[in-house]
Amino acid sequence: MPGRTWELCLLLLLGLVLGSQEALPPPCESPIYCHGELLHQVQMAKLYQDDKQFVDMPMSSAPEQVLQRFKELANAHNHSIPQQQLQGFLEEHFQAMGQELQPWTPEDWKDSPRFLQKISDLKLRAWAGQLHQLWKKLGKKVKPEVLRHPERFSLIYSQHPFIVPGGRFLEFYYWDSYWVMEGLLLSEMPETVKGMLQNFLDLVQTYGHVPNGARVYYLQRSQPPLLTLMMDRYVTHTNDIAFLRDNIGTLALELDFWTENRNISVSLGEKSYVLNRYYVPYGGPRPESYSKDAELADTLPEGDREALWAELKAGAESGWDFSSRWLVGGPNPNLLSSIRTSKFVPVDLNAFLCQAEELMSKFYTSLGNDSQATKYRNLWEQRLAALKAVLWDEEKGAWFDYDLENGKKNQEFYPSNLAPLWAGCFSDPGVVDKALKYLEDSKILTYQYGIPTSLWKTGQQWDFPNAWAPLQDLVIRGLAKSPSPRTQEVAFQLAQNWIRTNFDVYSQKSAMYEKYDISNGGQPGGGGEYEVQEGFGWTNGVVLMLLDRYGDRLSSGTQTAFLEPHCLAAALLLSLLLSFLPQ
Ligand SMILES: *[C@@H]1O[C@H](CO)[C@@H](O)[C@H](O)[C@H]1NC(C)=O
Ligand SMILES: *[C@@H]1O[C@H](CO)[C@@H](O)[C@H](O)[C@H]1NC(C)=O
Ligand SMILES: *[C@@H]1O[C@H](CO)[C@@H](O)[C@H](O)[C@H]1NC(C)=O
């Protein structure tokens, strides 16, 4: 008998040891901000215009107490609490949103960063100076209360201050931060970038992945994986190899998250390829868009609702929330309830991971770890082969999302179709000029105010007529990799178009926006789940990048029809003739 007891004891200890190795906190547990009757009643009562408002409000007392009071209130009204009582309850137990954050002026902010001098057009230079000032408005720091009482806040504590997108987005976001960091490095603020990087690395250490944003209700999903690229940009700028060495293991952990939880195998004939997809295996409405998700689910049979919510979350994980891109080929591609994000192998996601694998190989080489360098080089080569076999279309000259359910590529236009160019994820240099032809064939170069997100007008924000800064960057820097002067000239013209749109709107409204409507001469964008937001982190970052790269040529003047092929040809001919004229 004592022997048996010892065996049991050993098993128990072993269980504890094994269990503790996977001791990641479960994602989104809060009975106030993530699920439960309180969340349901408050969000369905629509007390605020935007569901995000309630889940961003800190509690005034401990959650147990708030829940207890709510239970009493709900019982007193037989679980249908009149609006006024509910409002009173919130006023008593919650604080206004944003209370847990304080403004922060980055310590490394300084006047007149050098890149401003590269901008010849004086109006554009003055504008860039104002965008540089905006970092001070978008800087935020978490108050120490959040560290003392994390259970009272949906905000996740971050040790280091950060730059936020702006508008309704008071916390930092994953993929937005990459373009923000590019801008910050031009503004010569590497210390701010380092702090933001450290925050992301801390999140990976705690949760095993980078959540969509720094709120508990974002923990069930990630966003396009650009952490390795952020590190590369920081290390290239500062040569801070010690920081890389200290954190390379955490970068590897983040990529493991995608390998282990977001992999998908595609069989083509005899061969099968492993790629990645966006996928969130959690049901329930998104807390920050609760009533919209609940009402959308009401249009479906009860048995289909959890799957819908999981697909909506996967759509949010893709960064494209929402878009016809995730509805194509579905039962009713006009309705958001047809969303099936996880049924596609996305071009951009796999391009981002491809780039991350190549960078990891480079990092490990620089740290003298050859075996790890080889491992990532092999992963990169496998992914190159898989991208070519599954996503590349030789006839069209572009990559396309692979539709797993229908066993074919989705040949609609999206700027993400060119993400492998941007990510350097191709072996044949000829693909860049094929991509230019693809853009011409798709008539994308006829849009003078920016590259549209898709060619479908659905009312969703990641569709026509909206144009987004990061997608301009994907195409412009992708094309600029071409050795051909003509392709490079098109990249410049696309940059010129985007700069004018942003500059003209800024001249009228003194604000930078999250997205722009390019059907209307370039105006703040619209559509989707919430009002267009001012700020705006990644928009500013991309403008600064373009002004840095093309500052000697960009102009604040009027729009031209330069991109029409015959017009381009005429312009080239004219400039040739002019060059023969006596000076
Ligand atoms: C409470 O509500 C339920 C339905 O929601 C109803 O069946 C019940 O009669 C109500 N009880 C009282 C006391 O009003
Ligand atoms: C791929 O994903 C599945 C779950 O979908 C997981 O069980 C498996 O371990 C993953 N593969 C790798 C190589 O991590
Ligand atoms: C290379 O990295 C791996 C994984 O972190 C580690 O186990 C190994 O000891 C490292 N090798 C060298 C030579 O540093």
Side-chain angles (χ1 to χ4, degrees), residues 256 259-264 277 279:
D256 289 347
T259 308
E260 287 162 17
N261 302 288
R262 301 290 188 264
N263 69 58
I264 189 76
R277 60 172 170 164
Y279 173 67

Side-chain angles (χ1 to χ4, degrees), residues 121-195:
D121 183 306
L122 293 181
K123 284 185 186 163
L124 293 182
R125 191 191 293 178
W127 177 43
Q130 289 171 29
L131 298 187
H132 171 65
Q133 294 277 347
L134 276 180
W135 299 131
K136 293 189 281 189
K137 279 202 179 162
L138 297 174
K140 298 273 184 267
K141 188 174 168 175
V142 182
K143 288 186 186 165
E145 291 94 287
V146 182
L147 185 59
R148 281 200 298 274
H149 288 292
E151 71 286 356
R152 293 190 188 182
F153 301 88
S154 65
L155 190 74
I156 299 171
Y157 183 76
S158 307
Q159 202 182 341
H160 302 277
F162 43 84
I163 301 294
V164 302
R168 83 199 272 265
F169 305 111
L170 301 172
E171 54 286 316
F172 63 81
Y173 283 77
Y174 185 4
W175 77 317
D176 292 65
S177 295
Y178 161 69
W179 284 276
V180 167
M181 288 179 186
E182 288 280 8
L184 290 172
L185 291 175
L186 287 169
S187 286
E188 297 167 36
M189 297 164 67
E191 283 306 308
T192 297
V193 172
K194 185 179 189 177

Side-chain angles (χ1 to χ4, degrees), residues 124-431:
L124 293 182
R125 191 191 293 178
W127 177 43
Q130 289 171 29
L131 298 187
H132 171 65
Q133 294 277 347
L134 276 180
W135 299 131
K136 293 189 281 189
K137 279 202 179 162
L138 297 174
K140 298 273 184 267
K141 188 174 168 175
V142 182
K143 288 186 186 165
E145 291 94 287
V146 182
L147 185 59
R148 281 200 298 274
H149 288 292
E151 71 286 356
R152 293 190 188 182
F153 301 88
S154 65
L155 190 74
I156 299 171
Y157 183 76
S158 307
Q159 202 182 341
H160 302 277
F162 43 84
I163 301 294
V164 302
R168 83 199 272 265
F169 305 111
L170 301 172
E171 54 286 316
F172 63 81
Y173 283 77
Y174 185 4
W175 77 317
D176 292 65
S177 295
Y178 161 69
W179 284 276
V180 167
M181 288 179 186
E182 288 280 8
L184 290 172
L185 291 175
L186 287 169
S187 286
E188 297 167 36
M189 297 164 67
E191 283 306 308
T192 297
V193 172
K194 185 179 189 177
M196 291 174 71
L197 260 172
Q198 189 66 65
N199 290 338
F200 283 121
L201 294 162
D202 291 346
L203 287 167
V204 176
Q205 283 295 332
T206 310
Y207 300 105
H209 69 281
V210 180
N212 185 143
R215 295 271 178 188
V216 293
Y217 53 76
Y218 288 139
L219 281 172
Q220 291 178 338
R221 58 184 198 250
S222 189
Q223 240 190 355
L226 295 172
L227 181 59
T228 308
L229 180 60
M230 294 176 194
M231 177 66 92
D232 180 61
R233 299 300 298 123
Y234 169 75
V235 173
T236 303
H237 192 272
T238 59
N239 212 17
D240 187 352
I241 296 290
F243 188 69
L244 174 65
R245 182 176 292 113
D246 289 348
N247 293 294
I248 184 97
T250 311
L251 295 180
L253 212 59
E254 202 244 345
L255 292 180
D256 289 347
F257 167 81
W258 291 88
T259 308
E260 287 162 17
N261 302 288
R262 301 290 188 264
N263 69 58
I264 189 76
S265 171
V266 183
S267 299
L268 293 180
E270 306 276 274
K271 286 200 159 173
S272 89
Y273 301 89
V274 178
L275 285 162
N276 292 76
R277 60 172 170 164
Y278 295 109
Y279 173 67
V280 180
Y282 296 102
R286 290 168 300 152
E288 78 284 8
S289 300
Y290 194 100
S291 62
K292 289 210 164 67
D293 285 5
E295 283 163 8
L296 186 64
D298 277 343
T299 65
L300 292 187
E302 209 166 330
D304 295 344
R305 292 178 188 167
E306 295 295 340
L308 167 68
W309 287 325
E311 292 296 352
L312 288 169
K313 288 175 183 178
E317 182 169 84
S318 79
W320 288 49
D321 41 339
F322 292 106
S323 169
S324 60
R325 188 177 167 198
W326 309 130
L327 312 178
V328 163
N332 192 344
N334 298 318
L335 296 179
L336 185 55
S337 54
S338 284
I339 188 166
R340 51 189 197 101
T341 320
S342 72
K343 305 302 190 311
F344 293 94
V345 180
V347 174
D348 43 1
L349 172 60
N350 286 286
F352 295 151
L353 290 170
C354 179
Q355 182 180 50
E357 286 154 353
E358 188 183 19
L359 288 172
M360 287 297 277
S361 176
K362 182 183 97 172
F363 290 162
Y364 274 118
T365 302
S366 71
L367 296 173
N369 192 326
D370 292 339
S371 63
Q372 288 297 99
T374 305
K375 171 186 151 179
Y376 281 100
R377 174 142 195 110
N378 290 340
L379 287 173
W380 176 68
E381 281 173 1
Q382 280 166 30
R383 190 168 314 257
L384 274 184
L387 270 162
K388 192 165 178 200
V390 182
L391 307 179
W392 171 252
D393 188 313
E394 179 66 28
E395 197 187 317
K396 299 246 176 197
W399 295 263
F400 296 97
D401 297 344
Y402 186 77
D403 179 341
L404 293 158
E405 283 182 324
N406 296 307
K408 61 176 191 193
K409 297 183 190 98
N410 168 17
Q411 292 188 332
E412 293 296 331
F413 169 79
Y414 314 105
S416 52
N417 292 347
L418 298 185
L421 293 183
W422 178 90
C425 196
F426 54 90
S427 37
D428 165 16
V431 296

